[in-house]
């Protein structure tokens, strides 16, 4: 399929090209099987078709859930913790050996620059290793037995941690491998079995991962991967009566649909949703640090980042100098194919998404925000939008309120030093995923942080996520936490046991 694709003159490894030339199928019960539909994946930097992949709907989700249930009740349940740990460790090594394939698939499928794709692949390997190690640290506790039993006899009360069961995992397109692994790894460590539905925009790296799951030797049905449309395969998975938990990452709007779907059997639900994160720049900031840091808070991953810091609150004392620096940074960013090592910003994931982002930019211009950088779509193949900055924004403007999911920054000036007033600006949103405070005064920094309603707040940096650090949202940014110990706990049930001795 990809023989003719030139990738803007950049080469990919022969293994990646061979992968693109196969038609991706569905991984169900340890076998690659045909789907009931066919879709194409395009390189967003060129618009050219990369690969074809088969898709499933409700019937294939039924098959996948049955395979996951049978693996859960059979071989997977009977394996020892050491055996499961060894399988996960083998998966991590296979991912490491195939890092170039995984990295290049996310670059050509999603459009992300290579420095980000390389980083996310190595983070994913670390995450599989981390959760493999965590299997041996799953612990219950002992406690004082109930009074009425202890009065009669010696007794023992303890808790057991048990896997939730069959888990549905619905993944977005913005960091495809990463969002898949940060669901898959803790679920496997907990002893769950999985039916994963990747995004129809970026189906490829999950398929490569599926083959590595087979090669690592996981029992058939422990991991099932069904590509397909959200309203079709995704909705069927969310509503399935034999799924015990659904873990979803995506938009807040779809999150609501997931909850509706999950109501039938009241399955457990974890949601990682959208954001509109504040970036607060105080007057005593180190501008040398803040200018590139604040710019990348918005432009990292071309702004297609749930943590993106897109509402910038700049203190009046540094407002003009900050804006000048940010505009120069944005104007100097190199846009291009993700395979080009010099690329700092890639394309929007699809033509439709680029149009949506341009709609926000056009309406911001009409609403009277001052355009100080970018604002245009590049006149070339692919879905490229210039890094864009608006100043003079006010709290009621659409660009200060809605998640754009593109390279668009909105800057609002403030002139108080009162931390409560500053936090009120930051908290004027229905979201609460991320945020950052930029100042040399650590007392101010921690006082502001304690008032910001968000699950993940950074000081003099932005979006500092890590394998072991809990991540998730307040408000309409989600339910629950991923990463670290909290990410594992999300796939465990607690059983309390009392024995009369
Ligand atoms: P999306 O909600 O459109 O799609 C996400 C996934 O849900 C896809 O696999 C899609 O096929 C599926 N889906 C769509 N409709 C569905 C339905 N009715 N039922 C079941 N599944 C359905 O989101 P997206 O455009 O792929 O991703 C962008 C969004 O994801 C942004 O809002 C972003 O903030 C959010 N996101 C959040 C995090 C986080 O950790 N909080 C991380 C990445 C992305």
């Amino acid at each position: 399929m990809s023989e003719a694709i030139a990738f803007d003159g950049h080469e990919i490894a022969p293994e990646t090209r061979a992968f693109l030339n196969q038609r991706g199928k569905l991984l169900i019960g340890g076998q690659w099987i045909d789907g009931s539909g066919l879709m194409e994946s395009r390189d967003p930097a060129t618009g050219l078709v990369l690969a074809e992949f088969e898709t499933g709907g409700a019937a294939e989700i039924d098959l996948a859930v049955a395979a996951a249930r049978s693996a859960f009740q059979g071989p997977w349940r009977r394996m020892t913790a050491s055996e499961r740990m060894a399988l996960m460790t083998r998966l991590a090594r296979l991912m490491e050996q195939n890092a170039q394939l995984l990295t290049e698939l996310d670059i050509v499928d999603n459009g992300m620059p290579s420095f980000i794709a390389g980083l996310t692949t190595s983070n994913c390997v670390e995450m599989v290793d981390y959760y493999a190690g965590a299997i041996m640290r799953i612990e219950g506790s002992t406690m004082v037995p109930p009074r009425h039993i202890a009065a009669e006899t010696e007794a023992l009360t303890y808790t057991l941690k048990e896997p939730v069961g069959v888990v549905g995992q619905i993944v977005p397109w913005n960091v495809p491998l990463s969002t898949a692994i940060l669901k898959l790894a803790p679920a496997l460590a907990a002893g769950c079995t999985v039916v994963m539905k990747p995004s129809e925009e970026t189906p490829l790296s999950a398929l490569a991962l599926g083959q590595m799951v087979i090669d690592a030797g996981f029992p058939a049905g422990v991991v099932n991967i069904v590509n397909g449309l959200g309203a079709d395969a995704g909705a069927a998975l969310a509503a399935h009566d034999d799924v015990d938990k659904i873990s979803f990452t995506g938009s807040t709007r779809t999150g609501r649909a997931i909850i509706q779907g999950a109501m039938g059997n009241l399955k457990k639900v974890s949601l990682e949703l959208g954001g509109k994160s504040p970036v607060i720049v105080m007057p005593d900031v180190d501008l040398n640090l803040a200018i590139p840091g604040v710019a990348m808070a918005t432009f990292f991953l071309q702004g297609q980042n749930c943590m993106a810091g897109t509402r910038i609150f700049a203190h009046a004392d540094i407002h003009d100098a900050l804006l000048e620096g940010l505009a120069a940074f944005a104007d100097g960013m190199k846009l291009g194919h993700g395979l080009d090592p010099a690329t700092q910003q890639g394309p929007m994931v699809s033509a439709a998404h680029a149009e949506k982002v341009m709609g926000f930019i056009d309406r911001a211009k009409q609403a009277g925000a001052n355009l100080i950088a970018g604002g245009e779509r590049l006149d070339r193949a692919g879905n490229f939008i210039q890094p864009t900055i608006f100043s003079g924004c006010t709290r009621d403007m659409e660009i200060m309120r809605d998640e754009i999911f593109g390279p668009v920054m909105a800057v609002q000036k403030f002139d108080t030093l009162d931390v409560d007033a500053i936090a009120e600006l930051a908290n004027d949103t229905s979201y609460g995923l991320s945020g950052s405070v930029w100042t040399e005064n650590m007392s101010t920094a921690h006082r502001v942080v304690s008032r910001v309603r968000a699950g993940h707040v950074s000081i003099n940096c932005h979006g500092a996520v890590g394998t072991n650090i809990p991540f998730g949202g307040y408000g309409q940014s989600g339910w629950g936490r991923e990463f670290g110990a909290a990410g594992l706990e999300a796939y465990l049930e607690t059983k309390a046991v009392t024995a009369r001795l």
Side-chain angles (χ1 to χ4, degrees):
M1 195 72 212
S2 69
E3 296 289 357
I5 297 189
F7 300 112
D8 276 355
H10 300 283
E11 237 339 296
I12 52 172
E15 296 75 19
T16 312
R17 201 169 274 284
F19 184 93
L20 295 175
N21 285 328
Q22 296 160 16
R23 181 188 283 182
K25 296 195 173 200
L26 314 181
L27 177 59
I28 297 182
Q31 306 287 325
W32 291 109
I33 68 162
D34 293 339
S36 47
L38 191 61
M39 289 181 76
E40 289 173 340
S41 177
R42 285 177 187 271
D43 177 353
T46 62
L48 299 175
V49 174
L50 279 176
E52 287 180 333
F53 61 99
E54 308 226 1
T55 59
E60 289 78 9
I61 289 290
D62 271 348
L63 286 176
V65 171
R69 176 61 61 193
S70 137
F72 181 69
Q73 285 167 349
W76 191 234
R77 202 78 207 249
R78 289 194 294 270
M79 273 191 173
T80 64
S82 309
E83 287 168 331
R84 286 194 281 116
M85 189 168 88
L87 284 173
M88 287 189 69
T89 303
R90 216 173 295 151
L91 175 62
R93 299 291 74 75
L94 284 171
M95 290 170 64
E96 209 164 38
Q97 285 157 25
N98 292 286
Q100 189 172 4
L101 170 69
L102 292 169
T103 301
E104 288 183 347
L105 287 177
D106 267 6
I107 293 172
V108 297
D109 209 11
N110 163 280
M112 67 175 71
S114 59
F115 79 93
I116 298 178
L119 187 69
T120 58
T121 302
S122 59
N123 287 347
C124 286
V125 172
E126 178 180 277
M127 184 160 283
V128 177
D129 277 328
Y130 172 88
Y131 281 114
I135 292 176
M136 290 294 195
R137 293 194 297 275
I138 295 175
E139 292 174 348
S141 51
T142 57
M143 49 208 57
V144 173
R147 196 160 61 130
H148 63 287
I149 295 182
E152 286 175 13
T153 176
E154 282 185 57
L156 173 64
T157 297
Y158 61 94
T159 56
L160 288 173
K161 291 288 182 181
E162 297 185 341
V164 168
V166 173
V167 176
Q169 301 186 328
I170 301 180
V171 176
W173 47 257
N174 65 321
V175 221
L177 183 67
S178 183
T179 43
I181 283 294
L182 66 87
K183 295 190 184 306
L184 187 64
L188 293 176
C192 295
T193 57
V194 171
V195 177
M196 178 179 290
K197 197 211 76 70
S199 169
E200 56 272 38
E201 299 285 357
T202 52
L204 301 180
S205 55
L207 295 174
L209 187 64
Q211 187 57 47
M212 290 171 213
V213 166
I214 295 175
D215 295 344
F218 281 81
V222 171
V223 178
N224 305 274
I225 299 174
V226 180
N227 273 308
L229 293 171
D232 195 359
L237 186 56
H240 204 289
D241 278 342
D242 203 27
V243 169
D244 300 302
K245 176 188 170 92
I246 195 93
S247 173
F248 170 77
T249 300
S251 62
T252 296
R253 190 168 57 89
T254 309
R256 291 200 175 87
I258 299 289
I259 295 168
Q260 295 275 348
M263 272 168 43
N265 72 340
L266 287 178
K267 59 176 68 65
K268 309 280 182 286
V269 178
S270 297
L271 302 172
E272 293 288 349
L273 306 176
K276 188 75 186 172
S277 298
V279 175
I280 300 156
V281 189
M282 299 299 291
D284 60 358
V285 70
D286 173 355
L287 281 174
N288 291 327
L289 185 72
I291 288 167
V294 170
M296 289 309 281
T298 299
F299 301 132
F300 184 81
L301 259 179
Q302 34 281 5
Q304 297 175 150
N305 173 14
C306 54
M307 293 177 286
T310 49
R311 287 186 300 139
I312 315 300
F313 297 101
H315 192 275
D317 290 0
I318 47 80
H319 175 268
D320 293 355
L322 179 71
L323 273 194
E324 195 182 321
L326 290 173
F329 188 98
D331 290 342
M333 282 185 83
K334 180 165 178 347
L335 274 60
H337 200 289
L339 289 168
D340 181 344
T343 292
Q344 291 170 291
Q345 188 185 295
M348 301 290 95
V349 74
S350 66
H353 187 57
E355 252 174 59
K356 193 173 145 212
V357 173
M358 285 310 299
F360 278 104
I361 292 175
D362 292 342
R363 288 191 297 278
K365 290 175 185 167
Q366 286 157 23
N370 307 320
L371 181 68
I372 63 156
E376 301 294 332
R377 196 167 165 169
L378 293 196
D379 184 17
R380 53 161 282 178
N383 316 314
F384 291 92
I385 294 178
Q386 292 174 326
T388 297
I389 303 177
F390 287 100
S391 67
C393 298
T394 52
R395 63 202 300 170
D396 52 327
M397 284 182 178
E398 183 190 53
I399 45 166
M400 286 296 278
R401 309 210 70 81
D402 288 10
E403 184 185 47
I404 300 173
F405 227 54
V408 185
M409 175 188 286
V411 184
Q412 180 176 338
K413 193 192 282 192
F414 72 96
D415 59 10
T416 179
L417 291 176
D418 181 295
V419 290
D420 289 307
I422 293 166
E424 199 190 322
L425 288 173
N427 293 336
D428 185 21
T429 172
S430 58
Y431 294 111
L433 192 56
S434 184
S436 56
V437 186
W438 298 75
T439 171
E440 292 294 280
N441 183 329
M442 283 301 126
S443 170
T444 306
H446 287 289
R447 288 168 66 225
V448 174
V449 164
S450 72
R451 289 159 172 81
V452 170
R453 295 203 36 86
H456 193 270
V457 189
S458 311
I459 298 170
N460 292 329
C461 53
H462 189 92
V465 286
T467 301
N468 58 328
I469 302 169
F471 180 79
Y474 285 31
Q476 294 186 24
S477 286
W479 291 354
R481 294 292 178 271
E482 290 187 320
F483 296 82
L488 181 60
E489 189 64 34
Y491 291 99
L492 292 166
E493 295 274 25
T494 302
K495 178 183 283 176
V497 182
T498 292
R500 298 173 70 103
L501 301 177

PDB file of all heavy atoms in Angstrom, residues 210-234:
ATOM      1  N   GLY A 210      -0.340  -5.513  19.175  1.00  0.00           N
ATOM      2  CA  GLY A 210      -1.078  -6.783  19.245  1.00  0.00           C
ATOM      3  C   GLY A 210      -0.192  -7.952  18.832  1.00  0.00           C
ATOM      4  O   GLY A 210      -0.204  -9.016  19.469  1.00  0.00           O
ATOM      5  N   GLN A 211       0.590  -7.766  17.772  1.00  0.00           N
ATOM      6  CA  GLN A 211       1.477  -8.853  17.341  1.00  0.00           C
ATOM      7  C   GLN A 211       2.535  -9.132  18.412  1.00  0.00           C
ATOM      8  O   GLN A 211       2.899 -10.284  18.650  1.00  0.00           O
ATOM      9  CB  GLN A 211       2.141  -8.483  16.000  1.00  0.00           C
ATOM     10  CG  GLN A 211       2.944  -9.622  15.391  1.00  0.00           C
ATOM     11  CD  GLN A 211       2.108 -10.887  15.169  1.00  0.00           C
ATOM     12  OE1 GLN A 211       1.002 -10.821  14.632  1.00  0.00           O
ATOM     13  NE2 GLN A 211       2.620 -12.049  15.600  1.00  0.00           N
ATOM     14  N   MET A 212       2.986  -8.078  19.087  1.00  0.00           N
ATOM     15  CA  MET A 212       3.991  -8.280  20.151  1.00  0.00           C
ATOM     16  C   MET A 212       3.378  -9.032  21.340  1.00  0.00           C
ATOM     17  O   MET A 212       4.055  -9.827  21.998  1.00  0.00           O
ATOM     18  CB  MET A 212       4.579  -6.938  20.596  1.00  0.00           C
ATOM     19  CG  MET A 212       5.472  -6.340  19.513  1.00  0.00           C
ATOM     20  SD  MET A 212       5.963  -4.654  19.877  1.00  0.00           S
ATOM     21  CE  MET A 212       6.036  -4.003  18.197  1.00  0.00           C
ATOM     22  N   VAL A 213       2.097  -8.792  21.599  1.00  0.00           N
ATOM     23  CA  VAL A 213       1.403  -9.530  22.666  1.00  0.00           C
ATOM     24  C   VAL A 213       1.378 -11.024  22.313  1.00  0.00           C
ATOM     25  O   VAL A 213       1.655 -11.888  23.160  1.00  0.00           O
ATOM     26  CB  VAL A 213      -0.038  -8.982  22.848  1.00  0.00           C
ATOM     27  CG1 VAL A 213      -0.895  -9.927  23.674  1.00  0.00           C
ATOM     28  CG2 VAL A 213      -0.001  -7.600  23.491  1.00  0.00           C
ATOM     29  N   ILE A 214       1.087 -11.324  21.038  1.00  0.00           N
ATOM     30  CA  ILE A 214       1.095 -12.733  20.600  1.00  0.00           C
ATOM     31  C   ILE A 214       2.504 -13.303  20.739  1.00  0.00           C
ATOM     32  O   ILE A 214       2.712 -14.383  21.303  1.00  0.00           O
ATOM     33  CB  ILE A 214       0.620 -12.844  19.129  1.00  0.00           C
ATOM     34  CG1 ILE A 214      -0.844 -12.421  18.998  1.00  0.00           C
ATOM     35  CG2 ILE A 214       0.824 -14.266  18.598  1.00  0.00           C
ATOM     36  CD1 ILE A 214      -1.359 -12.377  17.560  1.00  0.00           C
ATOM     37  N   ASP A 215       3.501 -12.563  20.229  1.00  0.00           N
ATOM     38  CA  ASP A 215       4.883 -13.065  20.233  1.00  0.00           C
ATOM     39  C   ASP A 215       5.422 -13.242  21.651  1.00  0.00           C
ATOM     40  O   ASP A 215       6.261 -14.102  21.894  1.00  0.00           O
ATOM     41  CB  ASP A 215       5.801 -12.122  19.431  1.00  0.00           C
ATOM     42  CG  ASP A 215       5.431 -12.092  17.952  1.00  0.00           C
ATOM     43  OD1 ASP A 215       4.689 -13.001  17.504  1.00  0.00           O
ATOM     44  OD2 ASP A 215       5.863 -11.157  17.247  1.00  0.00           O
ATOM     45  N   ALA A 216       4.947 -12.421  22.568  1.00  0.00           N
ATOM     46  CA  ALA A 216       5.411 -12.554  23.959  1.00  0.00           C
ATOM     47  C   ALA A 216       4.862 -13.824  24.604  1.00  0.00           C
ATOM     48  O   ALA A 216       5.397 -14.294  25.600  1.00  0.00           O
ATOM     49  CB  ALA A 216       4.981 -11.326  24.770  1.00  0.00           C
ATOM     50  N   GLY A 217       3.766 -14.360  24.055  1.00  0.00           N
ATOM     51  CA  GLY A 217       3.225 -15.623  24.556  1.00  0.00           C
ATOM     52  C   GLY A 217       2.039 -15.483  25.501  1.00  0.00           C
ATOM     53  O   GLY A 217       1.719 -16.424  26.225  1.00  0.00           O
ATOM     54  N   PHE A 218       1.374 -14.339  25.489  1.00  0.00           N
ATOM     55  CA  PHE A 218       0.174 -14.200  26.326  1.00  0.00           C
ATOM     56  C   PHE A 218      -0.873 -15.228  25.871  1.00  0.00           C
ATOM     57  O   PHE A 218      -1.018 -15.465  24.666  1.00  0.00           O
ATOM     58  CB  PHE A 218      -0.427 -12.790  26.183  1.00  0.00           C
ATOM     59  CG  PHE A 218       0.293 -11.749  26.992  1.00  0.00           C
ATOM     60  CD1 PHE A 218       1.459 -11.169  26.522  1.00  0.00           C
ATOM     61  CD2 PHE A 218      -0.193 -11.361  28.236  1.00  0.00           C
ATOM     62  CE1 PHE A 218       2.128 -10.209  27.267  1.00  0.00           C
ATOM     63  CE2 PHE A 218       0.480 -10.411  28.991  1.00  0.00           C
ATOM     64  CZ  PHE A 218       1.633  -9.833  28.509  1.00  0.00           C
ATOM     65  N   PRO A 219      -1.624 -15.820  26.794  1.00  0.00           N
ATOM     66  CA  PRO A 219      -2.677 -16.750  26.391  1.00  0.00           C
ATOM     67  C   PRO A 219      -3.697 -16.064  25.468  1.00  0.00           C
ATOM     68  O   PRO A 219      -3.958 -14.861  25.617  1.00  0.00           O
ATOM     69  CB  PRO A 219      -3.339 -17.137  27.718  1.00  0.00           C
ATOM     70  CG  PRO A 219      -2.333 -16.831  28.768  1.00  0.00           C
ATOM     71  CD  PRO A 219      -1.532 -15.673  28.259  1.00  0.00           C
ATOM     72  N   ALA A 220      -4.254 -16.839  24.543  1.00  0.00           N
ATOM     73  CA  ALA A 220      -5.240 -16.301  23.602  1.00  0.00           C
ATOM     74  C   ALA A 220      -6.389 -15.648  24.367  1.00  0.00           C
ATOM     75  O   ALA A 220      -6.861 -16.180  25.371  1.00  0.00           O
ATOM     76  CB  ALA A 220      -5.779 -17.435  22.726  1.00  0.00           C
ATOM     77  N   GLY A 221      -6.808 -14.477  23.895  1.00  0.00           N
ATOM     78  CA  GLY A 221      -7.973 -13.820  24.471  1.00  0.00           C
ATOM     79  C   GLY A 221      -7.661 -12.866  25.621  1.00  0.00           C
ATOM     80  O   GLY A 221      -8.537 -12.116  26.054  1.00  0.00           O
ATOM     81  N   VAL A 222      -6.419 -12.854  26.109  1.00  0.00           N
ATOM     82  CA  VAL A 222      -6.090 -11.918  27.202  1.00  0.00           C
ATOM     83  C   VAL A 222      -6.133 -10.481  26.671  1.00  0.00           C
ATOM     84  O   VAL A 222      -6.639  -9.574  27.329  1.00  0.00           O
ATOM     85  CB  VAL A 222      -4.705 -12.248  27.809  1.00  0.00           C
ATOM     86  CG1 VAL A 222      -4.268 -11.156  28.771  1.00  0.00           C
ATOM     87  CG2 VAL A 222      -4.754 -13.587  28.517  1.00  0.00           C
ATOM     88  N   VAL A 223      -5.613 -10.292  25.452  1.00  0.00           N
ATOM     89  CA  VAL A 223      -5.672  -8.971  24.820  1.00  0.00           C
ATOM     90  C   VAL A 223      -6.352  -9.121  23.457  1.00  0.00           C
ATOM     91  O   VAL A 223      -5.906  -9.904  22.620  1.00  0.00           O
ATOM     92  CB  VAL A 223      -4.260  -8.386  24.615  1.00  0.00           C
ATOM     93  CG1 VAL A 223      -4.338  -7.030  23.902  1.00  0.00           C
ATOM     94  CG2 VAL A 223      -3.541  -8.243  25.951  1.00  0.00           C
ATOM     95  N   ASN A 224      -7.415  -8.391  23.248  1.00  0.00           N
ATOM     96  CA  ASN A 224      -8.142  -8.391  21.973  1.00  0.00           C
ATOM     97  C   ASN A 224      -8.187  -6.949  21.473  1.00  0.00           C
ATOM     98  O   ASN A 224      -8.380  -6.021  22.280  1.00  0.00           O
ATOM     99  CB  ASN A 224      -9.569  -8.909  22.179  1.00  0.00           C
ATOM    100  CG  ASN A 224      -9.567 -10.282  22.837  1.00  0.00           C
ATOM    101  OD1 ASN A 224      -9.467 -11.297  22.175  1.00  0.00           O
ATOM    102  ND2 ASN A 224      -9.644 -10.310  24.169  1.00  0.00           N
ATOM    103  N   ILE A 225      -7.983  -6.780  20.165  1.00  0.00           N
ATOM    104  CA  ILE A 225      -7.943  -5.419  19.620  1.00  0.00           C
ATOM    105  C   ILE A 225      -8.910  -5.349  18.441  1.00  0.00           C
ATOM    106  O   ILE A 225      -8.766  -6.093  17.461  1.00  0.00           O
ATOM    107  CB  ILE A 225      -6.510  -5.049  19.184  1.00  0.00           C
ATOM    108  CG1 ILE A 225      -5.574  -5.105  20.405  1.00  0.00           C
ATOM    109  CG2 ILE A 225      -6.484  -3.657  18.555  1.00  0.00           C
ATOM    110  CD1 ILE A 225      -4.105  -4.896  20.103  1.00  0.00           C
ATOM    111  N   VAL A 226      -9.897  -4.460  18.568  1.00  0.00           N
ATOM    112  CA  VAL A 226     -10.920  -4.334  17.527  1.00  0.00           C
ATOM    113  C   VAL A 226     -10.934  -2.892  17.050  1.00  0.00           C
ATOM    114  O   VAL A 226     -11.428  -1.998  17.749  1.00  0.00           O
ATOM    115  CB  VAL A 226     -12.320  -4.729  18.065  1.00  0.00           C
ATOM    116  CG1 VAL A 226     -13.371  -4.584  16.972  1.00  0.00           C
ATOM    117  CG2 VAL A 226     -12.299  -6.155  18.608  1.00  0.00           C
ATOM    118  N   ASN A 227     -10.385  -2.651  15.865  1.00  0.00           N
ATOM    119  CA  ASN A 227     -10.515  -1.317  15.284  1.00  0.00           C
ATOM    120  C   ASN A 227     -11.941  -1.111  14.800  1.00  0.00           C
ATOM    121  O   ASN A 227     -12.650  -2.073  14.470  1.00  0.00           O
ATOM    122  CB  ASN A 227      -9.529  -1.152  14.119  1.00  0.00           C
ATOM    123  CG  ASN A 227      -8.170  -0.676  14.600  1.00  0.00           C
ATOM    124  OD1 ASN A 227      -8.093   0.328  15.320  1.00  0.00           O
ATOM    125  ND2 ASN A 227      -7.111  -1.376  14.236  1.00  0.00           N
ATOM    126  N   GLY A 228     -12.351   0.149  14.727  1.00  0.00           N
ATOM    127  CA  GLY A 228     -13.706   0.423  14.252  1.00  0.00           C
ATOM    128  C   GLY A 228     -14.128   1.823  14.635  1.00  0.00           C
ATOM    129  O   GLY A 228     -13.407   2.545  15.334  1.00  0.00           O
ATOM    130  N   LEU A 229     -15.297   2.197  14.195  1.00  0.00           N
ATOM    131  CA  LEU A 229     -15.813   3.533  14.477  1.00  0.00           C
ATOM    132  C   LEU A 229     -16.288   3.637  15.923  1.00  0.00           C
ATOM    133  O   LEU A 229     -16.767   2.653  16.495  1.00  0.00           O
ATOM    134  CB  LEU A 229     -16.979   3.848  13.536  1.00  0.00           C
ATOM    135  CG  LEU A 229     -16.603   4.001  12.061  1.00  0.00           C
ATOM    136  CD1 LEU A 229     -17.865   4.102  11.209  1.00  0.00           C
ATOM    137  CD2 LEU A 229     -15.711   5.227  11.866  1.00  0.00           C
ATOM    138  N   GLY A 230     -16.193   4.845  16.462  1.00  0.00           N
ATOM    139  CA  GLY A 230     -16.623   5.045  17.840  1.00  0.00           C
ATOM    140  C   GLY A 230     -18.094   4.739  18.035  1.00  0.00           C
ATOM    141  O   GLY A 230     -18.474   4.027  18.980  1.00  0.00           O
ATOM    142  N   ALA A 231     -18.929   5.261  17.139  1.00  0.00           N
ATOM    143  CA  ALA A 231     -20.371   5.107  17.322  1.00  0.00           C
ATOM    144  C   ALA A 231     -20.804   3.658  17.108  1.00  0.00           C
ATOM    145  O   ALA A 231     -21.939   3.290  17.437  1.00  0.00           O
ATOM    146  CB  ALA A 231     -21.111   6.026  16.355  1.00  0.00           C
ATOM    147  N   ASP A 232     -19.903   2.848  16.568  1.00  0.00           N
ATOM    148  CA  ASP A 232     -20.242   1.475  16.214  1.00  0.00           C
ATOM    149  C   ASP A 232     -19.541   0.523  17.219  1.00  0.00           C
ATOM    150  O   ASP A 232     -20.127   0.119  18.223  1.00  0.00           O
ATOM    151  CB  ASP A 232     -19.720   1.285  14.770  1.00  0.00           C
ATOM    152  CG  ASP A 232     -20.275   0.078  14.088  1.00  0.00           C
ATOM    153  OD1 ASP A 232     -21.050  -0.631  14.725  1.00  0.00           O
ATOM    154  OD2 ASP A 232     -19.900  -0.171  12.912  1.00  0.00           O
ATOM    155  N   ALA A 233     -18.251   0.218  16.965  1.00  0.00           N
ATOM    156  CA  ALA A 233     -17.530  -0.694  17.864  1.00  0.00           C
ATOM    157  C   ALA A 233     -17.393  -0.100  19.268  1.00  0.00           C
ATOM    158  O   ALA A 233     -17.558  -0.804  20.276  1.00  0.00           O
ATOM    159  CB  ALA A 233     -16.148  -0.996  17.287  1.00  0.00           C
ATOM    160  N   GLY A 234     -17.104   1.206  19.345  1.00  0.00           N
ATOM    161  CA  GLY A 234     -16.901   1.840  20.650  1.00  0.00           C
ATOM    162  C   GLY A 234     -18.164   1.792  21.495  1.00  0.00           C
ATOM    163  O   GLY A 234     -18.139   1.393  22.665  1.00  0.00           O
TER     164      GLY A 234
END
